Amino acid sequence: MIEQTNNTPRKKTAVLFSVQTHGVSNEENHSSLLELRRLVKTMGLEVVATLTQRRSKPEAGTLLGAGKLKELAGYTGGTGIVEGFSRKSEDETCDDKDEDYPVGSLYSSVDESSGDDPMAKNSVQADVVIYDGEISTKQLINLEKATGVEVLDRTGVILEIFNRHAKSREALIQVEIAKLSYLAPRLRVSHIRGDRQGGGIGSKGIGETSHELNKRHIRDRISELKSRLEGIRYEQNRRRSRRKENFQVSLVGYTNAGKSSLMRKLTGSDVLVEDKLFATLDTRVKSLYPEAFPPVLVSDTVGFIKKLPHDLVASFQSTLDEALAASLLLFTVDASDPVFRSQLAVTQSVIEEIGGEKIPNRLILNKIDKLTTGELEELHCEFPDGIFISAHNPEDIATLRKKILQFFESNMIETTMVIPYSKGHLIGQLKNKASMINESYDETGTEVTFKTFPETLTWLQKEMG
């Protein structure tokens, strides 16, 4: 996302905008824009301005009313005019008259870090316009005509990030399926750079021009990719079948909630940890460390986000299936984020969508080191069954590990048996199937006290005759 200007590297810039409809609070709108800002930053763009308009519903052709559209174009050098678009459409309310939020407020039109006069639009030139929602083909055409720059929506931004972060063969295929499904109706409509596949911000990665990607080509390509994905899923299912004898915990949650950090601490692995949204896309499965009985595997799934494109949920089904194979789900949230409750709702909704609502679960409230004592006390009252931790605190990780083991140990039976010396070979096998508590010896054999599952006890009694 770097352009060369007078031999000086320059980041490409973006202006964000949203339409705040009835029923959407200021806080919800603000939170969504902040999240979009983080997504855009992850994509490598610098946000120079944000703009919000309150309306009963988005304008059918341009999302914004005529006045706001001209204001948006002021950040890009566009005309703000679309042929056939009237000054006042029939659904446009008085909200369009005076909806500029004061500078420095929650909805400052100019990025607060820029220090620019909000009226000096020419001093803030954006290369890209990004809408906090989904844009139809008609709206895309009109917005690009009005602004003169490339226009993306929230889904396009997420797809671009997924495209850049995909590393494994499976992730690359999943992202391409979702991106083709998204780009298909938009490939021929962009008037910027002549071809949306020819180098625009939201278009890199597939490697073919819009002229080549006609509807039949896209349909055939998606079919081919889905066939490849089925082969990968078959291999994954075989691996999952081999892991069925192991207990598995799956970390699920919003992107950037700290799942990768927890995975690293619980398993002693070198999982990538970055302060970026969707830094990792591939599911990882590692053994709980240090090892204990029963053996437990820990998996980390792709992060969730509000308005996660349906095509992505469908494409990443095989990745999400790892969560469905778990015996226990750990819903992980960033407790320091004021909107973590709505983020938790998003995660729970996706898990329910893929059929995992009946899997036992626990709530992990992470990053408590960022909370005040008062805030922590309030959360303890609100979530009495929650597990409060900081992934950076070894004692908290030890507590979480203990609670995970306790969950699986709840079905174990503690018993004492005397194994004759003639059956001594069973002790070695038992140590792989049980948690040994004590061993002592007398003239009759080895007296062992252990905890194990009912089926193991049945096996041992049968072997003892």
Side-chain angles (χ1 to χ4, degrees):
M1 286 307 152
I2 303 293
E3 281 191 344
Q4 198 80 12
T5 305
N6 296 328
N7 297 322
T8 303
R10 180 181 74 85
K11 267 190 175 183
K12 283 198 171 185
T13 55
V15 55
L16 316 182
F17 78 98
S18 67
V19 176
Q20 185 179 348
T21 55
H22 293 171
V24 177
S25 68
N26 287 352
E27 289 72 20
E28 289 172 330
N29 186 66
H30 179 54
S31 172
S32 188
L33 279 171
L34 284 179
E35 187 172 87
L36 180 61
R37 176 188 288 265
R38 291 193 63 201
L39 286 166
V40 171
K41 180 181 177 182
T42 298
M43 201 169 73
L45 298 176
E46 178 184 354
V47 177
V48 295
T50 61
L51 182 148
T52 291
Q53 181 181 34
R54 290 193 182 107
R55 295 177 60 87
S56 58
K57 60 180 180 179
E59 160 63 39
T62 56
L63 296 169
L64 299 171
K68 276 294 186 198
L69 189 59
K70 283 190 175 182
E71 182 180 346
L72 178 65
Y75 293 111
T76 64
T79 64
I81 299 173
V82 179
E83 186 178 351
F85 178 66
S86 62
R87 174 64 187 171
K88 288 287 182 180
S89 61
E90 60 183 18
D91 71 313
E92 191 169 332
T93 69
C94 61
D95 287 347
D96 186 42
K97 290 181 180 179
D98 189 21
E99 278 303 315
D100 285 329
Y101 297 95
V103 177
S105 73
L106 200 61
Y107 300 103
S108 174
S109 290
V110 174
D111 184 63
E112 286 122 356
S113 63
S114 68
D116 290 304
D117 183 337
M119 300 307 294
K121 303 294 195 302
N122 291 334
S123 66
V124 185
Q125 288 293 313
D127 303 302
V128 190
V129 168
I130 301 176
Y131 173 58
D132 189 24
E134 288 198 8
I135 298 176
S136 69
T137 301
K138 177 183 177 181
Q139 291 163 347
L140 176 65
I141 294 172
N142 289 338
L143 286 168
E144 289 192 338
K145 284 180 179 178
T147 61
V149 298
E150 184 175 9
V151 176
L152 296 174
D153 59 13
R154 187 184 181 95
T155 298
V157 170
I158 293 174
L159 284 169
E160 179 67 13
I161 293 171
F162 269 55
N163 183 71
R164 295 181 185 190
H165 291 181
K167 295 292 186 291
S168 71
R169 185 165 57 108
E170 179 191 13
L172 288 167
I173 291 174
Q174 290 173 140
V175 170
E176 186 172 350
I177 290 173
K179 197 167 184 181
L180 280 170
S181 300
Y182 170 77
L183 286 176
R186 298 168 170 84
L187 287 171
R188 293 181 179 275
V189 303
S190 177
H191 293 268
I192 307 305
R193 298 180 181 87
D195 188 337
R196 179 166 289 274
Q197 286 295 93
I201 291 170
S203 62
K204 298 169 70 175
I206 298 177
E208 296 172 343
T209 69
S210 61
H211 298 292
E212 294 169 325
L213 286 171
N214 54 49
K215 288 184 178 180
R216 177 174 295 180
H217 188 147
I218 290 173
R219 186 171 61 248
D220 291 346
R221 178 63 175 165
I222 290 176
S223 177
E224 176 191 349
L225 291 169
K226 286 184 175 179
S227 178
R228 291 186 191 175
L229 198 56
E230 282 302 315
I232 294 173
R233 286 174 177 171
Y234 175 75
E235 289 299 320
Q236 285 184 332
N237 288 334
R238 288 184 60 185
R239 287 196 294 270
R240 289 191 188 106
S241 295
R242 291 195 292 267
R243 294 200 301 261
K244 276 187 176 179
E245 293 184 2
N246 297 99
F247 294 107
Q248 184 167 321
V249 172
S250 186
L251 298 167
V252 293
Y254 219 67
T255 183
N256 219 48
K259 300 189 305 302
S260 293
S261 294
L262 275 182
M263 179 79 173
R264 190 183 188 113
K265 300 295 184 180
L266 286 170
T267 65
S269 62
D270 57 353
V271 172
L272 174 66
V273 178
E274 277 191 288
D275 187 22
K276 286 184 177 181
L277 303 184
F278 303 115
T280 53
L281 296 180
D282 297 303
T283 297
R284 299 163 298 274
V285 181
K286 303 285 184 180
S287 296
L288 188 67
Y289 180 84
E291 293 184 8
F293 187 88
V296 177
L297 298 177
V298 183
S299 66
D300 177 18
T301 59
V302 63
F304 304 138
I305 198 167
K306 286 179 184 176
K307 308 172 188 176
L308 188 68
H310 179 75
D311 287 332
L312 272 183
V313 175
S315 297
F316 275 76
Q317 182 69 48
S318 61
T319 303
L320 296 173
D321 279 347
E322 200 66 55
L324 296 181
S327 310
L328 176 66
L329 297 179
L330 297 181
F331 284 100
T332 307
V333 299
D334 175 358
S336 67
D337 192 326
V339 295
F340 80 81
R341 294 167 185 80
S342 63
Q343 295 174 352
L344 175 61
V346 169
T347 304
Q348 292 170 332
S349 175
V350 174
I351 291 297
E352 183 176 348
E353 183 180 341
I354 64 174
E357 67 275 7
K358 293 183 180 179
I359 301 174
N361 62 81
R362 298 289 185 272
L363 175 61
I364 309 297
L365 293 104
N366 190 24
K367 305 187 184 183
I368 60 171
D369 51 308
K370 297 182 179 181
L371 298 173
T372 65
T373 302
E375 289 171 336
L376 190 55
E377 289 176 352
E378 289 179 5
L379 288 179
H380 271 289
C381 293
E382 185 177 355
F383 302 99
D385 296 326
I387 302 173
F388 293 79
I389 68 164
S390 166
H392 301 298
N393 187 332
E395 293 181 1
D396 288 350
I397 297 299
T399 298
L400 176 58
R401 181 180 179 278
K402 182 178 179 180
K403 288 183 179 294
I404 290 172
L405 291 174
Q406 286 175 343
F407 171 81
F408 294 110
E409 289 173 353
S410 61
N411 293 322
M412 294 173 67
I413 301 170
E414 182 174 330
T415 189
T416 299
M417 294 183 66
V418 175
I419 299 178
Y421 291 119
S422 61
K423 300 279 188 178
H425 65 281
L426 294 176
I427 296 177
Q429 296 179 48
L430 183 61
K431 288 181 178 180
N432 293 324
K433 298 174 179 286
S435 175
M436 307 299 287
I437 298 174
N438 187 52
E439 291 183 44
S440 61
Y441 309 91
D442 59 25
E443 65 278 2
T444 60
T446 305
E447 183 178 271
V448 290
T449 300
F450 58 93
K451 288 180 69 174
T452 192
F453 296 98
E455 53 268 28
T456 300
L457 188 58
T458 300
W459 162 81
L460 182 59
Q461 290 170 338
K462 182 179 178 180
E463 292 293 320
M464 291 281 290

